[in-house]
Amino acid sequence: MRRDVFQAIADPTRRAIITLLALHAMTPNAIAEHFQSTRQAVSKHLRILTECELLHQEPQGREIFYSLHMDKMKEIDIWMEQVRKIWESRFSQLDDLLEEMKKGQL
Amino acid sequence: MRRDVFQAIADPTRRAIITLLALHAMTPNAIAEHFQSTRQAVSKHLRILTECELLHQEPQGREIFYSLHMDKMKEIDIWMEQVRKIWESRFSQLDDLLEEMKKGQL
DNA sequence: GATATGCGCAACTGATCGGTTTCTAAAATT
DNA sequence: AATTTTAGAAACCGATCAGTTGCGCATATC
């Protein structure tokens, strides 16, 4: 049951839905028209995306408009940034090592 | 069999492995020490990460050093950037609409 | 009020996933 | 040469996943 953003964007259809909704809010039927699969299949994806708070529902009469909650996308950025930080620190760590070696040898 | 980067980073253990290897190359045994699961389980993750070219193998005697292939991580950035671009264009689209309305009414 | 539309929910199915256990091969150690 | 270490490969298992079909429930439309 535990949904996280990374699992959510693992599915190509869900990524396509996110891309679609980045432009403007849409109803399940309108979204489903962009895919070969049934509305129910799309509805399941919408449920998963909503559960992990990537989407937001806005009922309007008997229709429900789904919109992208861009803030949640930042969680991906945060992780990417973390990895990038460590990746870059790699060099300074090598510098530290070389410094240590120099001290030990001299 | 089709492996893509997004599926690869969907698993928390694999993300942890990526974070680990961002610092420096490691052998499967060394990596496995950081987790509760068996070496074989970790080895499977390494296989998946290597298949989608996120990792690179460097045999050294009977050991294999796995290192992060940072370039492949950019694929995630590219998608994120694409979504962000569309998200931002949302407003200019609204501007276009307002422009159109203005023309129609005036 | 009857009908049509839009949508979520539940049950089912085949495929895939993450994990363990067992086995094999190659390189290092003795 | 025998043993130990390192690691991938294969077989298996329960859990989860993506998808379909069928259903029920609201909200519009006639």
Side-chain angles (χ1 to χ4, degrees):
Chain A
M1 259 298 169
R2 267 283 172 89
R3 303 279 181 203
D4 71 282
V5 186
F6 294 96
Q7 209 189 333
I9 64 162
D11 185 85
T13 304
R14 283 199 288 269
R15 282 200 301 281
I17 290 174
I18 289 174
T19 308
L20 264 179
L21 296 182
L23 197 56
H24 49 69
M26 292 174 82
T27 65
N29 267 328
I31 297 166
E33 278 174 14
H34 289 79
F35 303 96
Q36 286 102 328
S37 58
T38 61
R39 177 190 60 81
Q40 279 86 346
V42 171
S43 205
K44 267 192 167 184
H45 286 305
L46 292 174
R47 186 169 171 269
I48 290 169
L49 289 166
T50 306
E51 267 178 13
C52 73
E53 298 177 308
L54 270 171
L55 299 188
H56 175 246
Q57 304 182 332
E58 186 108 12
Q60 206 152 321
R62 70 181 163 190
E63 294 183 323
I64 299 175
F65 282 85
Y66 284 85
S67 58
L68 183 58
H69 179 50
M70 201 61 181
D71 265 11
K72 199 70 178 181
M73 293 282 283
K74 282 179 189 164
E75 276 191 18
I76 300 157
D77 282 319
I78 289 168
W79 180 73
M80 292 289 286
E81 191 55 34
Q82 185 197 332
V83 173
R84 214 186 312 274
K85 274 260 174 66
I86 297 172
W87 174 259
E88 277 156 13
S89 81
R90 199 173 38 113
F91 299 113
S92 65
Q93 185 129 322
L94 180 63
D95 289 344
D96 290 351
L97 182 68
L98 291 174
E99 198 64 28
E100 233 175 301
M101 282 175 68
K102 199 156 68 173
K103 277 184 187 170
Q105 282 202 326
L106 287 179
Chain B
M1 258 297 170
R2 267 285 172 89
R3 302 281 182 204
D4 71 282
V5 187
F6 295 95
Q7 209 190 334
I9 63 161
D11 185 85
T13 305
R14 284 199 286 269
R15 284 200 301 280
I17 290 174
I18 288 174
T19 308
L20 264 180
L21 296 182
L23 195 57
H24 49 68
M26 292 173 80
T27 64
N29 267 328
I31 297 166
E33 278 174 13
H34 289 79
F35 303 96
Q36 287 101 327
S37 59
T38 60
R39 179 189 60 80
Q40 279 86 346
V42 171
S43 205
K44 267 193 167 186
H45 286 305
L46 292 173
R47 186 169 172 269
I48 290 169
L49 289 166
T50 307
E51 267 178 13
C52 74
E53 297 177 309
L54 270 171
L55 300 188
H56 175 246
Q57 304 181 330
E58 185 106 16
Q60 206 153 321
R62 70 181 162 191
E63 293 183 323
I64 298 176
F65 281 85
Y66 284 85
S67 58
L68 183 60
H69 180 51
M70 203 61 180
D71 265 11
K72 198 71 179 181
M73 293 281 284
K74 283 177 189 165
E75 276 191 18
I76 300 158
D77 282 319
I78 289 168
W79 180 73
M80 292 288 287
E81 191 54 33
Q82 185 198 331
V83 174
R84 215 186 312 273
K85 275 261 174 66
I86 297 172
W87 175 259
E88 278 156 12
S89 81
R90 203 172 35 116
F91 299 113
S92 65
Q93 185 128 322
L94 180 63
D95 289 344
D96 290 350
L97 182 68
L98 291 173
E99 197 64 27
E100 233 174 303
M101 281 175 69
K102 197 156 71 172
K103 276 185 188 170
Q105 282 202 326
L106 286 181

